[in-house]
Amino acid sequence: TRSEKMGKAGGALGWLPLAGSMCIVIGYAVIIAYILKAFVQSVSGELMTVDTAAWFDSFSTTDYSVVPFHIIVVVATLLTLLLGAKSIEKSNKIMMPVFFIIFLVLAIRVAFLPGAAEGYKFMFTPRWDALKDPMTWIWAMGQAFFSLSVTGSGMIVYGAYLSDEEPV
């Protein structure tokens, strides 16, 4: 909080969401490194001719196999952050439309895969008896906490744009 009544306690409390977001970022950096590796090997054609389960096992169980990709992710992130909020906006002006186009291409591709109709039927048919299974509730809570973490990080980004005069 920016309230003078809270003093140092409010300032320390304000660092908690940031620390949480930093922990989340560490996990996402690893995931993005895996995705970058898959992207590079897809473009080269290497990934198109192998059993994907064996491919994933081969590098996920090998020490340091994604380190070069992780370094690329960390350096790109640091460059974006060091250049400030304007660079994040410029990056998003490119990345969000590209993401949307990739999503559309994938959605169209998936719709024409063998068994797609059965998959959609499975996905959109409610199975009310699953509500009796405690694991369903545990998975739902995991999804809720994931959504809250994304929202919390979004609030931090939004807060970065507020002036110091704005009451929080």
Side-chain angles (χ1 to χ4, degrees):
T1 182
R2 293 183 183 137
S3 168
E4 290 182 23
K5 291 187 289 185
M6 288 298 291
K8 291 184 181 184
L13 188 62
W15 281 96
L16 284 175
L18 185 60
S21 290
M22 291 302 293
C23 292
I24 293 166
V25 164
I26 292 167
Y28 280 129
V30 173
I31 293 168
I32 293 169
Y34 279 29
I35 293 169
L36 186 58
K37 181 178 178 79
F39 175 74
V40 167
Q41 291 185 337
S42 292
V43 170
S44 71
E46 181 181 341
L47 188 57
M48 303 305 178
T49 59
V50 298
D51 174 37
T52 53
W55 169 82
F56 183 79
D57 285 342
S58 72
F59 80 81
S60 65
T61 58
T62 305
D63 292 340
Y64 311 110
S65 65
V66 292
V67 168
F69 297 99
H70 190 75
I71 290 170
I72 292 168
V73 169
V74 170
V75 168
T77 302
L78 286 174
L79 285 174
T80 302
L81 293 174
L82 288 172
L83 295 172
K86 291 185 192 247
S87 71
I88 295 171
E89 290 174 4
K90 288 178 183 175
S91 298
N92 274 337
K93 284 181 182 178
I94 296 168
M95 289 190 292
M96 291 311 292
V98 168
F99 172 73
F100 185 73
I101 291 167
I102 290 171
F103 180 77
L104 282 177
V105 168
L106 285 174
I108 292 167
R109 172 71 176 117
V110 165
F112 290 102
L113 287 174
E118 291 82 16
Y120 286 126
K121 184 178 177 183
F122 175 81
M123 187 169 66
F124 292 115
T125 302
R127 291 173 300 285
W128 301 111
D129 58 321
L131 294 175
K132 297 175 189 172
D133 183 3
M135 287 308 297
T136 301
W137 294 94
I138 291 170
W139 293 328
M141 288 295 107
Q143 179 62 44
F145 282 119
F146 168 79
S147 299
L148 287 172
S149 71
V150 171
T151 302
S153 295
M155 289 173 62
I156 290 171
V157 171
Y158 177 75
Y161 287 93
L162 292 176
S163 71
D164 288 342
E165 290 78 40
E166 287 291 327
V168 178

